[in-house]
Amino acid sequence: MDEIDVLVVGAGPVGLTAAAELRRHGVDCRIVDRLAAPQHYAKAVGVQPRTMEVWDAMGLVRAALDEAVPMHGQLLFVDGRPGPRIELALPPDIPYGFAALPQYTTERLLTEHLAGYGTPVERGTELVSADQDPDGVLAVLRTASGPRELRARYVIGCDGAHSLVRKAAGLRFEGDAFPEQYMLGDVEVEWDLPAGYGVRATHHDADGRVDDLLVCIPLPGRGRYRMSMMVPDELAGPDAADGVAHGLEGGAAPELRHIQAVLDRLSPRPVHASALRWSSTFRISHRLVDRYRAGRLLLAGDAAHIHPPTGAQGMNTGIQDAHNLAWKLALAVRGIGADGLLDSYHAERHPVGEEVVGRTVRNARSGVQASPGAAEDLGTVLRREAQLLVGYPDSPLVEPGPGSGSGADGGPGPGSGPGADGGPGADGGPGADGGPGADGGPGGPEPGDRAPDCRELTRDLASYPVRLFDLLRGPRHTLLFHVDTATPGVLVTTCAVAALSTAHGLLDVYALLAPDAPAPPWRLPTARDSAGEFRAAYAARPGEAFLIRPDGYLAGRFHPPTPEGLATCLRRTFGTG
């Protein structure tokens, strides 16, 4: 019987991300998919800025930038009249913008990236059963040459809304379905609307309800859009056999005339559609699994959460599920993860899935809007849609310990940082100018927040400036010390030694020197914060230390840092081995 550390089921964007990240972290894995070949469908097309940051960390972003097209904004039309024009503009400290990329291209790029680790996708291979015991999972696979058995230590189900892994785990997938059916079409149009803008046109009945809908998302190519709209009665299909009505359906495909009929009713300009590449009908459900982990079976993406496609949240949320899980699973496989490390996957990602499902259901008919009861400006709304406000302030891995800058010195404790209440994040919120936070804390990101990028770092042997993300790109935790003229060298070195020992050496350490700080005498990698961008973005105090996880989230900040405080924080993640 074949044996493997991790079996990934499903080779969509989520499964491919999980497999690629496991391989980057040194884990042996296999990835299977029941389809004999990839589908050439532009299903999920929106790529959020936070996903671009994930791809940056993975080493994939250059290929994505070569293929994607920018999403500059959205044009709204209501009952035939122009509505507000939404500009998808983010501040310059955010390294990437909103993008559109057909899902089949995303899958191709991820497949090629995974192949670089020597791991192919095993297509035409379907999971039939997955039975777990205390030591692993017995998976039965159906292949072209007959059934095969595989023994895996863990199985990740990235096998979509009808997940067999979820069913094998006995997990609940509760929710409901929208009664409407929709259709998709990948077409070309010639109109004078600005390139790079989505189009949303709606019509309301006498009671104010939306009774007709057209959404157009730009794709690479001249005048090319993926269009979605309500399905005509002649194409309406039956309910799903397993009760989970979600995703593309296998009935009669819409023809060009069906799409043209909707354009004739709702298009803001008289236009003729052509070059239909593919089309399908689809349904929308909203469901959330009760647990993301059941023993050695774990779920990610649509296997764990499904919801309306409003705001392009689904694929991006799934990719970040995989990014969150892979580094934790790698430590568990190596036997150096702390007890409960894998439980933190559910603790961190289930609330994210719950928020996304709730928000997209609210926005399904009215479009992207502020959270109910929140006084949010457009910038905050866009940051949330960009998934830059996702954070884990209540995670058991990032709860501030003794000596941490949060809670230990009068600053805010867990759950009060940016992102916990939907407020501005560290990338432009309170403390972004180096001053104190609005709540009296140190300002800047709190434990559990996304670690923001910053520019204009300089290194002795490089004649060009580097970004902080360049230092965070490795597969390990990263410890950053903000060093000024008065920072004791012995403090930095003793803290670094203690942290490296607790993390089993899986830690990169850097001293970020203030503009006027002398070169340190110790042998420790350094970069100079020449323009003060790091101090401003992190509200960094002299001598303060920042511990950043492999997925780019802040595990702790320490002022002053102590060997004991750093070790306590790291022991939430690392076991004794």
Side-chain angles (χ1 to χ4, degrees), residues 364-434:
R365 289 189 172 87
S366 56
V368 174
Q369 56 184 306
S371 297
E376 295 179 341
D377 59 19
L378 179 60
T380 300
V381 174
L382 290 182
R383 288 174 190 271
R384 178 172 293 106
E385 295 301 311
Q387 302 193 338
L388 298 169
L389 296 184
V390 171
Y392 313 122
D394 298 317
S395 168
L397 302 188
V398 300
E399 183 179 353
S404 169
S406 294
D409 62 355
S416 60
D421 60 357
D427 41 21
D433 60 355

Side-chain angles (χ1 to χ4, degrees), residues 64-84:
L65 292 173
D66 288 345
E67 298 276 3
V69 294
M71 278 286 294
H72 297 306
Q74 187 176 60
L75 308 176
L76 303 179
F77 298 87
V78 181
D79 297 327
R81 296 183 299 273

Side-chain angles (χ1 to χ4, degrees), residues 45-49 52 68-75 86-90 96-101 194-200 215-220 224-226 311-312 382:
V45 299
V47 179
Q48 303 294 352
M52 285 290 194
V69 294
M71 278 286 294
H72 297 306
Q74 187 176 60
L75 308 176
I86 299 175
E87 299 291 341
L88 298 178
L90 293 168
Y96 302 105
F98 296 86
L101 187 67
Y197 283 80
V199 175
R200 179 184 174 89
V215 177
C216 310
I217 304 299
L219 296 174
R224 184 183 171 198
Y225 291 82
R226 192 207 66 185
L382 290 182

Side-chain angles (χ1 to χ4, degrees), residues 12-25 50-64 96 106 109-114 116-117 318-320 322-324 326 469 472-475 550-552:
V14 178
L16 290 165
T17 298
E21 281 296 272
L22 287 168
R23 296 295 295 118
R24 187 166 74 101
H25 286 276
R50 178 58 190 157
T51 297
M52 285 290 194
E53 292 181 351
V54 169
W55 287 349
D56 187 331
M58 292 174 61
L60 184 66
V61 75
R62 185 178 69 176
Y96 302 105
T106 297
L109 296 179
L110 284 164
T111 300
E112 292 170 353
H113 181 71
L114 176 61
Y117 293 106
I319 286 173
Q320 290 167 58
H323 193 234
N324 179 287
F469 278 8
L472 304 182
R473 199 168 285 124
D551 58 355

Side-chain angles (χ1 to χ4, degrees), residues 303-354:
H305 46 78
I306 55 176
H307 47 79
T310 312
Q313 299 295 293
M315 178 189 73
N316 294 275
T317 300
I319 286 173
Q320 290 167 58
D321 289 342
H323 193 234
N324 179 287
L325 174 60
W327 67 269
K328 299 172 182 177
L329 198 53
L331 294 180
V333 166
R334 295 179 67 168
I336 56 175
D339 292 340
L341 175 61
L342 291 183
D343 289 332
S344 74
Y345 172 58
H346 171 85
E348 293 181 353
R349 294 304 297 177
H350 188 272
V352 174
E354 186 174 37

